């Protein structure tokens, strides 16, 4: 049986992305590297901070140092939780190369692990409330860093949602207003998207949801509908369309840890939120070069 690894999800282009990070951080002379030279050194990666955290981003961290001729020995598995302070990995290589990769690797690992940690916490909370549906992120990711952020969501145990404009058709209010109606927007999207793409339509009322379902939407996003209204709308629509149309309900907008219990209801199939990746608290890591023995 094949052994699954999160790294195997990554596209062939990801190594080149790491090279751009290094190029951005050292566009010209490396003055600090001149000072420390090329003596072979060993550095310990420590997971710090004040909270239980999820390790995420190992492939990217390893690749940063691989491109600099260094080796990384991991002492934890991807997706494993740890309590600070934890010796997470050991990096070996020339001193100036260790320092060339240090900040690039730590910044990436801090954000990716922060997203994985928050994703796991939101999912665990939802499951604790009895929710059986899908917890998902959003496309509100950092330009140029989406691959890492979506990867962090997956390691944290949630659905990353659509990766880009080409991986699913999502029609929001601006699309609908520009097209003239929900029905017109769906018809135009289906004409070019074909049968292979899911079609997710944002609605703001039960009447709009009815129109989207009638027109053939696969997913109905009940945007910013909360509380008893969310329950009522979802149940009314389920009953009305049972046996006539197949679709999923998604809720999104203004979801936090504080109100998660009100939104994580089993009448809703998908709960998508940017709280798992926007303004997320990073996990503190440090890389310390050890004195020669």
């Amino acid at each position: 049986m094949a052994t699954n690894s999160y790294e195997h999800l990554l596209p062939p282009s990801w190594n080149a992305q790491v090279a751009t990070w290094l190029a951005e951080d050292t566009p010209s002379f490396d003055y600090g590297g001149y000072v420390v030279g090329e003596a072979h050194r060993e550095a310990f990666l420590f997971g710090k901070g004040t909270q239980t955290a999820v390790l995420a981003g190992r492939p990217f961290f390893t690749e940063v140092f691989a491109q600099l001729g260094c080796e990384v020995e991991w002492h934890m598995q991807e997706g494993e939780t740890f309590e600070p302070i934890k010796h997470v990995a050991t990096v070996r290589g020339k001193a100036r190369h260790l320092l060339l990769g240090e900040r690039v690797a730590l910044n990436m690992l801090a954000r990716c692990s922060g997203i994985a940690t928050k994703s796991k916490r939101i999912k665990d909370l939802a499951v604790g409330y009895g929710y059986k549906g899908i917890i998902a992120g959003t496309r509100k990711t950092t330009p140029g860093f989406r691959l890492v952020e979506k990867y962090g969501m997956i390691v944290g145990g949630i659905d990353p949602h659509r990766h880009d404009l080409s991986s699913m058709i999502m029609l929001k209010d601006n699309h609908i207003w520009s097209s003239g109606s929900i029905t017109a927007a769906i018809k135009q999207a289906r004409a070019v998207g074909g049968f292979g793409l899911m079609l997710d339509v944002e609605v703001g009322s039960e009447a709009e949801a009815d129109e989207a379902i009638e027109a053939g939407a696969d997913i109905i996003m009940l945007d910013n509908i909360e509380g008893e209204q969310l329950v009522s709308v979802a149940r009314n629509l389920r009953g009305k369309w049972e046996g006539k149309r197949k679709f999923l309900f998604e809720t999104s907008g203004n979801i936090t840890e504080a109100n998660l219990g009100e939104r994580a209801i089993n009448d809703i199939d998908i709960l998508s939120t940017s709280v798992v990746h926007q303004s997320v608290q990073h996990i503190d890591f440090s890389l310390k070069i050890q004195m020669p023995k």
Side-chain angles (χ1 to χ4, degrees), residues 20-273:
T20 65
W21 300 343
L22 290 167
E24 177 189 51
D25 204 42
T26 314
S28 182
F29 294 132
D30 176 22
Y31 301 105
Y34 171 81
V35 172
V36 301
E38 294 198 333
H40 194 275
R41 292 287 184 261
E42 187 174 75
F44 291 173
L45 173 67
F46 293 106
K48 301 167 65 178
T50 59
Q51 63 173 314
T52 301
V54 176
L55 175 66
R58 274 185 32 162
F60 303 101
F61 187 96
T62 298
E63 181 64 17
V64 167
F65 287 105
Q67 292 191 17
L68 295 167
C70 302
E71 297 180 351
V72 179
E73 178 188 354
W74 289 97
H75 309 308
M76 289 181 58
Q77 296 300 312
E78 189 80 306
E80 188 177 346
T81 59
F82 66 90
E83 300 288 340
I85 296 174
K86 173 73 173 179
H87 182 188
V88 175
T90 300
V91 188
R92 300 179 181 91
K94 295 176 181 179
R96 73 180 185 90
H97 291 175
L98 292 173
L99 294 176
L100 274 170
E102 176 190 21
R103 184 43 53 195
V104 171
L106 291 179
N107 287 354
M108 178 285 306
L109 197 66
R111 179 147 183 79
C112 192
S113 296
I115 289 170
T117 300
K118 185 71 168 183
S119 296
K120 183 179 186 302
R121 184 156 67 244
I122 290 293
K123 182 176 180 179
D124 288 347
L125 282 172
V127 170
Y129 290 128
Y131 185 61
K132 296 179 174 61
I134 297 168
I135 301 294
T138 74
R139 198 171 59 89
K140 297 175 183 177
T141 51
T142 307
F145 210 59
R146 179 176 297 167
L147 187 68
V148 175
E149 294 178 349
K150 292 287 191 180
Y151 178 91
M153 296 177 211
I154 293 172
V155 174
I158 69 168
D159 191 302
H161 214 295
R162 64 171 177 162
H163 285 249
D164 48 55
L165 291 173
S166 303
S167 56
M168 183 170 72
I169 303 171
M170 182 176 286
L171 302 178
K172 301 174 78 69
D173 51 7
N174 284 325
H175 299 94
I176 293 162
W177 295 334
S178 298
S179 300
S181 70
I182 290 172
T183 301
I186 291 176
K187 184 177 180 180
Q188 293 174 55
R190 283 292 189 208
V192 293
F195 68 87
L197 290 175
M198 297 282 281
L199 204 161
D200 191 336
V201 179
E202 177 185 278
V203 301
S205 68
E206 187 172 336
E208 290 181 353
D210 273 322
E211 184 180 354
I213 295 167
E214 177 67 38
D218 300 299
I219 304 169
I220 309 301
M221 179 188 285
L222 303 171
D223 192 51
N224 292 314
I225 300 176
E226 305 176 22
E228 290 301 319
Q229 184 187 10
L230 178 65
V231 177
S232 174
V233 168
R235 289 180 180 174
N236 287 345
L237 291 167
R238 289 277 190 210
K240 186 185 305 183
W241 291 99
E242 187 175 5
K244 302 174 185 177
R245 289 280 195 278
K246 290 184 178 180
F247 55 86
L248 299 174
F249 281 133
E250 178 179 356
T251 183
S252 185
N254 300 321
I255 296 171
T256 66
E257 287 189 29
N259 67 13
L260 184 61
E262 301 170 14
R263 304 291 289 275
I265 57 173
N266 285 315
D267 297 284
I268 302 297
D269 304 288
I270 305 160
L271 193 157
S272 59
T273 174

